[in-house]
Amino acid sequence: MEIRISPSVLAADLSNLRGELEKVKNADLLHMDVMDGNYVPNITFGMPVITAAKRCSDVPLDIHLMMNGAEHFLAEFASVEPEFITVHYEAVTHLQSTLRKIRDLGIKAGVSLNPHTPLNGLKYILDDLDLIMLMTVNPGFGGQKFIPAMLEKVRDCSELIGDRPIELQVDGGIGVDNLADLIKAGANNFVAGSSIFGAEDPTAYIEQMRAIARQG
Ligand code: DX5
Ligand code: ZN
């Protein structure tokens, strides 16, 4: 599966969104973290910032919904035509039908799992998934440290996916120092906030990530 880099806009200077997105034009996706202050202990942004990002950049959007009741807002998020809408395994009661609704809206469907959430249930809904996101920190905040035990989970998940066309995304504490290990474990899609936007030159940092990926 092709390696893809998804800078998390949460780590950008939102007072200069256009300028910040200009620096990550070479990314594959733009990761948008929606937090509701209920499912996670933090509030970020919703449609106004997402539509602003859409106006400033041609990079496809990758919307990560850390919220309860995500199933009631799917049409709204789909209206910006993101590549992915990802909901949380722990926050959606009827997960399979929610994933189906996302696909019915013409958007690729993703599910995100918190570090402690087992992979078991995914086995039965693999046909409904375009992306599995493994949280490699606890959701809620950017800039946290990668949880090393997640490497094993990435390996297990990669085995579960097998040769199905499902992207394996990791989110939280990702950067050039753990990228090679995660690629070896089977991840192909990398969300990175503070490492990319905190770099002196975010464009060059993304290229550095790509170079590491090419080395395999
Ligand atoms: C965490 C968010 C992440 C976060 C990643 O709850 O889902 O996408 O923005 O930020 P870094 O790369 O700084 O850990
Ligand atoms: Zn995220």
Side-chain angles (χ1 to χ4, degrees):
M1 188 74 70
E2 179 200 358
I3 298 293
R4 305 181 81 190
I5 314 281
S6 187
S8 175
V9 173
L10 183 59
D13 174 1
L14 295 179
S15 70
N16 178 21
L17 186 60
R18 191 178 288 279
E20 292 283 83
L21 297 189
E22 190 66 26
K23 298 177 192 163
V24 296
K25 275 195 314 217
N26 57 335
D28 302 291
L29 294 163
L30 274 186
H31 189 77
M32 306 298 297
D33 284 313
V34 178
M35 303 189 191
D36 68 350
N38 187 352
Y39 172 61
V40 285
N42 195 14
I43 299 174
T44 53
F45 47 71
M47 285 306 290
V49 173
I50 293 175
T51 48
K54 169 88 180 174
R55 283 200 303 274
C56 296
S57 176
D58 294 330
V59 178
L61 301 177
D62 166 31
I63 301 182
H64 179 191
L65 298 179
M66 285 159 279
M67 57 187 282
N68 289 318
E71 57 271 43
H72 307 301
F73 292 88
L74 297 178
E76 208 170 338
F77 289 112
S79 70
V80 293
E81 297 174 1
E83 179 161 345
F84 295 100
I85 293 180
T86 297
V87 296
H88 262 264
Y89 188 96
E90 309 83 7
V92 170
T93 309
H94 303 290
L95 182 58
Q96 194 268 349
S97 73
T98 300
L99 296 169
R100 215 182 42 219
K101 276 183 205 149
I102 296 172
R103 278 188 171 173
D104 286 348
L105 289 161
I107 313 295
K108 292 181 185 166
V111 68
S112 175
L113 272 64
N114 284 338
H116 73 282
T117 302
L119 296 169
N120 310 1
L122 293 185
K123 181 176 162 196
Y124 312 103
I125 55 168
L126 289 171
D127 288 344
D128 303 294
L129 284 168
D130 299 298
L131 174 142
I132 298 174
M133 174 204 287
L134 298 182
M135 289 304 307
T136 43
V137 300
N138 286 287
F141 301 90
Q144 302 181 77
K145 269 185 75 173
F146 175 83
I147 300 171
M150 293 304 107
L151 264 182
E152 186 185 347
K153 192 172 185 184
V154 173
R155 260 180 244 122
D156 292 346
C157 190
S158 168
E159 202 170 296
L160 176 73
I161 291 173
D163 55 11
R164 291 176 182 82
I166 299 176
E167 303 214 16
L168 179 42
Q169 185 176 62
V170 282
D171 184 8
I174 311 291
V176 291
D177 46 341
N178 51 20
L179 189 66
D181 286 345
L182 285 160
I183 291 174
K184 251 177 240 137
N188 79 289
N189 187 320
F190 301 90
V191 177
S194 39
S195 63
I196 292 179
F197 285 104
E200 190 131 348
D201 181 347
T203 314
Y205 193 89
I206 291 172
E207 290 313 316
Q208 198 185 338
M209 291 177 85
R210 290 197 200 288
I212 291 171
R214 277 195 297 272
Q215 280 158 23

